[in-house]
Amino acid sequence: MGNRLSKIYTRTGDDGSTGLADGNRIAKNAQRVEAMGTADELNCHIGLLIEQLASADEMAAAMRRIQHHLFDLGGEFAIPGSQVIGESHIRWLEDTLDRYNADLPPLKNFILPGGSMAAAQCHLARAVCRRAERVVVALSHEDSINPDARHYLNRLSDLLFVVARVLARRDGGEEVLWEQHRSAI
């Protein structure tokens, strides 16, 4: 990190623009900025999830690693043309997903977000991850991006779904099953 921020406000964004890491300025509502912001929002939700886990929990360590990946991903969006996230990141997600999914029973019904505070928080992170993926797909229609970024988010949402299932079942808990006709009045 070359220049450290000694002053947080600069007033340069008062005109509705923001600076990218490569020095270019773009509108704050540009799709690239939306991708950066959604990756940051997802990182925050994962931070909340981590705070609900024991510090010695292996899952907390995995989520912390994902936070670093997401920070790198945001940086990738901030420097058009850069590539930080790659196949090794995606493989790590898949390996982690397979490990957590191995002991889960097959799904026979849809599940609702819940089961525990940590599981519900993980479902919220999953939903934000899906939005991040949609934003990145939209960005890819207007600008060149690293396709591994999109693949990473797709795999991460799968992992967060599985982690939410694991968390809901921890310590004898249960997943909340959707009941087809429950919404009838």
Side-chain angles (χ1 to χ4, degrees), residues 6-79:
S6 58
K7 188 174 183 181
I8 298 302
Y9 65 90
T10 62
R11 296 189 175 112
T12 57
D14 290 351
D15 66 353
S17 69
T18 191
L20 295 177
D22 67 359
N24 287 315
R25 296 199 67 77
I26 62 173
K28 287 186 176 184
N29 66 344
Q31 203 66 44
R32 183 168 294 281
V33 177
E34 187 66 27
M36 291 164 32
T38 309
D40 183 38
E41 181 183 353
L42 174 56
N43 207 335
C44 293
H45 282 290
I46 290 176
L48 283 171
L49 172 60
I50 291 167
E51 293 305 316
Q52 294 178 39
L53 303 173
S55 60
D57 190 334
E58 182 275 331
M59 194 177 285
M63 292 297 117
R64 186 70 70 201
R65 186 171 186 181
I66 289 166
Q67 282 194 299
H68 286 275
H69 293 172
L70 288 171
F71 196 88
D72 289 343
L73 183 64
E76 192 173 291
F77 296 141
I79 306 172

Side-chain angles (χ1 to χ4, degrees), residues 91-102 104 154-163:
R91 263 194 319 279
W92 179 82
L93 283 177
E94 290 171 347
D95 292 345
T96 305
L97 195 156
D98 289 343
R99 192 165 26 97
Y100 286 132
N101 196 47
L104 289 173
N154 188 20
R155 225 58 97 249
L156 178 57
S157 65
D158 293 338
L159 173 61
L160 292 170
F161 178 77
V162 167
V163 167

